Amino acid sequence: MKKIKIAILILFLSLFAVVSVNADELGVIKGTYSYDAHPFINQPINLYKIADIKDLESDDKFNYLEPYSNFESNINTLNSSEWQKYANALKNYIETNNIAYDTQVVTDADGNYEFRELSNGLYLILIDEIMENGATYTSLPTLISVPNYDETEKKYVNEITVKSKIEETKPEPTEPPVEPTPDVPQTSDNAMLYIIIFALALVVLIGISYYIYKTKKEMNINEDAKK
């Protein structure tokens, strides 16, 4: 029984130590900004600190910083499935109130970026739209807690890797306008055709005129013979 109590005490102290040690360490947020293996180079990445963390184990652990004290939503009452909607609302709040970022870095040749020496708190990553090759790339706001609870390791970690969600928008193809058929100028071939038609008509007309003349002449000869 004594051994069991000692084991429970050791386990409790070890868990407390893990939380305490990680809570006191400065955090790191790493990420790669790319779309379909295409990295975006020299892209500014903006980081906003939204709240401090009072107590990792408390249900009310996040405490808003001054620029966000009037923000209506309470992060402490949201579950993980609501965080993206919350992040979108935070982005709108930041843009409406012209709140400046706390830290900015740019991506390297592989699209990688890194924020270091971050105190405990709730952070928001915002990335401006990119236009390349006629397409627009929009990154969804990313919300991160430092330290962050690792479900796999079952502990808090201070080095966090994030993957930004990027949406690609391409303009719909438009059909080229139908141009009116231009008037075809008269060519030499057309002129020759008209000449041939005119000549044939003239020949027919001469033939008819000759036939009428000959017929009248024969009729006159016959009348003279009768007399």
Side-chain angles (χ1 to χ4, degrees):
M1 185 66 179
K2 185 177 181 181
K3 291 182 179 180
I4 294 175
K5 290 182 179 180
I6 293 174
I8 294 173
L9 179 61
I10 293 174
L11 179 61
F12 174 78
L13 291 175
S14 63
L15 290 174
F16 179 79
V18 168
V19 172
S20 299
V21 170
N22 285 302
D24 293 337
E25 293 178 2
L26 292 177
V28 177
I29 297 176
K30 298 179 178 181
T32 301
Y33 196 56
S34 63
Y35 185 84
D36 284 347
H38 168 66
F40 295 105
I41 303 171
N42 294 326
Q43 173 64 30
I45 312 294
N46 303 320
L47 185 69
Y48 299 78
K49 186 174 183 181
I50 307 301
D52 281 325
I53 292 180
K54 295 184 294 185
D55 183 358
L56 285 173
E57 301 305 311
S58 171
D59 292 333
D60 191 29
K61 63 182 178 181
F62 294 113
N63 184 26
Y64 280 129
L65 297 177
E66 179 57 32
Y68 309 96
S69 58
N70 293 326
F71 189 63
E72 296 178 355
S73 299
N74 184 359
I75 183 63
N76 294 302
T77 61
L78 303 179
N79 56 51
S80 58
S81 64
E82 298 175 297
W83 271 38
Q84 186 59 62
K85 182 179 179 181
Y86 172 84
N88 295 340
L90 268 175
K91 178 185 177 182
N92 293 334
Y93 183 87
I94 288 170
E95 293 175 348
T96 301
N97 293 277
N98 295 317
I99 300 175
Y101 55 78
D102 294 285
T103 309
Q104 184 185 78
V105 297
V106 295
T107 56
D108 61 18
D110 297 317
N112 298 322
Y113 63 90
E114 185 174 303
F115 295 99
R116 303 191 66 85
E117 298 184 354
L118 301 176
S119 59
N120 294 341
L122 183 68
Y123 292 87
L124 184 73
I125 292 178
L126 295 182
I127 306 173
D128 293 335
E129 286 186 349
I130 302 174
M131 295 189 66
E132 281 192 6
N133 301 321
T136 302
Y137 298 90
T138 306
S139 175
L140 296 178
T142 305
L143 199 64
I144 310 106
S145 171
V146 178
N148 195 274
Y149 189 74
D150 190 320
E151 293 290 347
T152 303
E153 298 293 333
K154 302 300 180 183
K155 66 177 183 180
Y156 284 96
V157 295
N158 286 75
E159 184 171 308
I160 304 134
T161 301
V162 299
K163 177 64 176 179
S164 299
K165 299 177 181 178
I166 304 175
E167 297 178 344
E168 180 187 53
T169 305
K170 290 184 176 180
E172 295 183 0
T174 56
E175 296 182 359
V178 178
E179 297 182 358
T181 304
D183 294 334
V184 179
Q186 188 175 12
T187 63
S188 59
D189 291 340
N190 290 338
M192 183 60 67
L193 178 61
Y194 295 148
I195 292 172
I196 293 173
I197 293 174
F198 177 76
L200 291 173
L202 184 61
V203 169
V204 172
L205 181 61
I206 292 173
I208 293 173
S209 299
Y210 177 75
Y211 174 76
I212 295 172
Y213 170 76
K214 186 177 179 181
T215 302
K216 284 184 176 181
K217 186 177 181 182
E218 290 178 353
M219 289 175 64
N220 291 334
I221 292 172
N222 294 332
E223 287 180 357
D224 291 341
K226 290 179 180 180
K227 291 178 179 179

